Amino acid sequence: MPIVILSPFSGRPVKIRDKDIGRSVRDEENRVFYAVPRSDGEGYYAAITRNGSEKDEQRYLALLKKDATADVQKREELAQPVHNAMGNKPKGRLGRRVIFLVILGVLAWAAWTGKDRFLSSDQPADPHQTQSPTTE
């Protein structure tokens, strides 16, 4: 069954096995620390040294208290609606419509002027040139 302790370096939770107690453990940034049983026997704490010390245990308890306070603050922040101090601004839909209409107009003009290129006709390419009737 995994045990979760806080890293003494970053304060982030690290899952360890039961048999890792007293052994070296690495956190998410590959820093080494040790899982040591608490002096009161109620769980474990993370120590920088293999045997731990009273100072390390107090530091870990302060880290737990700080983490619990941070969790409460995060919950309170998420529960409160966020105030938008910038106000609601229009998203510029008019500008997008104008650009779309200009592009559509250019495409329509190009299609109208280029239609003679794609239509086949019996007339010569130069309208001023006349064909002389051939006699046989």
Side-chain angles (χ1 to χ4, degrees):
M1 177 140 180
I3 299 171
V4 178
I5 59 173
L6 300 178
S7 168
F9 301 105
S10 65
R12 293 188 178 141
V14 178
K15 287 184 183 180
I16 61 170
R17 302 175 297 184
D18 292 337
K19 53 185 168 179
D20 288 335
I21 296 176
R23 296 181 181 174
S24 63
V25 181
R26 293 187 183 269
D27 64 359
E28 74 279 353
E29 296 177 355
N30 270 345
R31 293 180 286 197
V32 177
F33 64 95
Y34 301 90
V36 181
R38 288 190 192 173
S39 60
D40 59 0
E42 292 187 21
Y44 306 96
Y45 70 96
I48 298 172
T49 61
R50 183 177 296 273
N51 297 329
S53 66
E54 185 68 30
K55 187 177 179 181
D56 285 337
E57 189 171 354
Q58 289 174 356
R59 188 181 310 134
Y60 185 76
L61 292 175
L63 184 65
L64 280 176
K65 198 180 282 186
K66 181 180 173 184
D67 188 50
T69 305
D71 283 344
V72 170
Q73 288 176 350
K74 286 179 191 175
R75 287 186 203 132
E76 289 175 357
E77 287 176 7
L78 292 175
Q80 294 176 355
V82 178
H83 174 68
N84 185 2
M86 293 174 45
N88 295 331
K89 294 183 179 180
K91 298 195 180 201
R93 292 182 184 154
L94 181 64
R96 289 182 184 167
R97 288 180 184 167
V98 168
I99 291 171
F100 176 72
L101 288 175
V102 167
I103 291 172
L104 190 63
V106 168
L107 289 175
W109 176 79
W112 181 258
T113 58
K115 71 178 180 181
D116 292 336
R117 291 184 214 152
F118 300 110
L119 294 176
S120 63
S121 63
D122 294 336
Q123 296 179 357
D126 188 10
H128 299 292
Q129 181 183 14
T130 60
Q131 291 181 349
S132 60
T134 57
T135 57
E136 292 183 28

